[in-house]
Amino acid sequence: MSSVSIDAYSEKASCERLLSVHRWTDSLLSFRTTRPAGYRFTPGQFARLGLEIDGQIVSRAYSITSAEHEDQLEYYAIIVPGGQFTTRLDALRPGDAVWVEKLSYGFMTAERFVDGRQLWMLATGTGLGPYVSILQQPEVWQRFDHLVVVHGVRRREELAYADKFEQLRRQAAEQGWPARLQLLRCVTRDTDLPDAHGWLAGRLTTLLRDGALEQSAGLPLSVEQSRLMACGNPDMVTEVRELLRERGMGPLRRTGGGQFVTEDYW
Ligand SMILES: Cc1cc2nc3c(=O)[nH]c(=O)nc-3n(C[C@H](O)[C@H](O)[C@H](O)COP(=O)(O)OP(=O)(O)OC[C@H]3O[C@@H](n4cnc5c(N)ncnc54)[C@H](O)[C@@H]3O)c2cc1C
């Protein structure tokens, strides 16, 4: 978190424009900005964005949800009540300035997994964002046999990007890409409503611990075959790390070995 002068920030960031906002709920939105000239990122990475607030730039990290090749950058965000950055973000209109730092950041990328045939992508809330970008990489569909997105939310209306995943699934079938994509949605509230699409009731970590996720996907987790990402709420991420360690897995290491990589949003 930081607050710097516009002059100082302009040395490392580019002044871009907000292009569009898609509101999923009152507090969840996806937004698009222009992409800085020459901006490079690997799906799974995050950008640092800056907004002008009271004459200073306030910056925050945002995972990129758009595909590597697109002209625009997209992000999936929650408006945090009273949050400095997101209160301003919520008030932006198309055409307004959004600063984008010239470098991209982060190590939660699929290409770091050199072995294993299943890629599990676990997220709470807006932690889903990086997987939307990762799943737009054709290589991921060719490299893995199974792609499993597990999205934990409180309420059903927070299950964003379902259409995008459907579209990617169709595209993969048309292209003959081998991987099978499964989307497991874990909802903690409104769980007594009629079940329409096989949503799972309960916290993601509870469902991981008791084997319900594996059962629902029809895929047992194994040290040899399973590679995992976990992103979002830091309590979820910590618990997932503990659960995976209990199963003999470890974090991905630069020197080789390891089964999982994680990212905390706060
Ligand atoms: C590597 C990284 C990537 C990130 N990517 C995203 C992203 O793609 N989308 C996104 O919405 N946020 C993302 N964040 C969080 C984001 O950077 C800001 O923290 C968030 O926008 C709140 O900023 P704020 O100034 O409005 O609130 P602050 O005043 O900074 O309040 C922070 C508090 O808000 C809550 N909070 C922060 N982020 C979230 C969240 N995503 N979901 C639920 N509660 C939250 C926490 O309680 C936290 O303590 C990411 C953070 C990191 C470190």
Side-chain angles (χ1 to χ4, degrees):
M1 283 190 208
S2 56
S3 172
V4 294
S5 74
I6 296 174
D7 268 3
Y9 200 63
S10 64
E11 285 172 23
K12 62 173 181 177
S14 160
C15 186
E16 301 297 320
R17 295 284 149 198
L18 181 72
L19 291 170
S20 61
V21 179
H22 174 82
R23 293 188 183 266
W24 302 96
T25 68
D26 287 350
S27 60
L28 288 171
L29 52 87
S30 296
F31 62 101
R32 286 185 162 251
T33 66
T34 50
R35 180 172 175 157
Y39 187 82
R40 293 165 69 95
F41 73 97
T42 303
Q45 286 193 302
F46 61 91
R48 286 198 68 88
L49 304 182
L51 295 180
E52 190 185 330
I53 301 175
D54 299 332
Q56 296 278 104
I57 297 286
V58 174
S59 65
R60 295 286 187 271
Y62 278 88
S63 298
I64 300 165
T65 64
S66 43
E68 218 171 348
H69 57 78
E70 282 184 73
D71 295 343
Q72 308 171 354
L73 295 173
E74 185 181 287
Y75 321 87
Y76 176 41
I78 187 165
I79 306 303
V80 174
Q84 191 184 15
F85 185 97
T86 53
T87 300
R88 178 83 187 99
L89 175 67
D90 198 24
L92 291 185
R93 296 289 167 261
D96 288 346
V98 178
W99 292 79
V100 180
E101 291 188 18
K102 291 170 189 165
L103 296 178
S104 53
Y105 305 88
F107 302 101
M108 204 183 66
T109 58
E111 65 193 14
R112 294 187 59 208
F113 293 117
V114 294
D115 58 4
R117 306 301 300 171
Q118 312 165 359
L119 181 61
W120 290 72
M121 292 160 272
L122 316 182
T124 50
T126 54
L128 185 72
Y131 307 143
V132 179
S133 183
I134 286 171
L135 285 169
Q136 294 180 75
Q137 290 179 286
E139 312 87 76
V140 168
W141 292 80
Q142 287 156 331
R143 152 80 181 78
F144 294 95
D145 295 333
H146 296 277
L147 301 166
V148 187
V149 174
V150 186
H151 192 197
V153 297
R154 273 177 294 178
R155 298 183 191 283
R156 289 172 185 210
E157 64 260 27
E158 297 162 20
L159 294 166
Y161 285 103
D163 289 351
K164 183 76 188 173
F165 292 126
E166 235 359 274
Q167 180 205 326
L168 288 168
R169 203 182 259 146
R170 279 198 304 273
Q171 186 185 349
E174 281 161 22
Q175 299 289 333
W177 295 334
R180 174 169 178 235
L181 171 66
Q182 298 195 65
L183 182 54
L184 308 182
R185 281 90 64 92
C186 314
V187 183
T188 53
R189 299 198 192 156
D190 300 339
T191 51
D192 52 342
L193 294 175
D195 197 345
H197 298 289
W199 290 314
L200 300 166
R203 291 172 63 224
L204 182 157
T205 44
T206 309
L207 298 162
L208 176 60
R209 184 185 296 279
D210 68 14
L213 294 182
E214 288 160 275
Q215 199 179 5
S216 189
L219 285 177
L221 286 173
S222 77
V223 172
E224 294 72 31
Q225 296 302 337
S226 310
R227 300 296 172 262
L228 300 101
M229 297 173 163
C231 182
N233 181 315
D235 293 336
M236 178 279 286
V237 170
T238 301
E239 208 176 328
V240 165
R241 272 200 226 107
E242 286 166 10
L243 289 170
L244 296 179
R245 284 207 168 93
E246 284 168 20
R247 288 166 167 251
M249 299 188 192
L252 203 61
R253 290 186 297 269
R254 291 223 176 106
T255 49
Q259 289 74 31
F260 61 83
V261 57
T262 62
E263 192 151 85
D264 290 338
Y265 270 6
W266 66 90

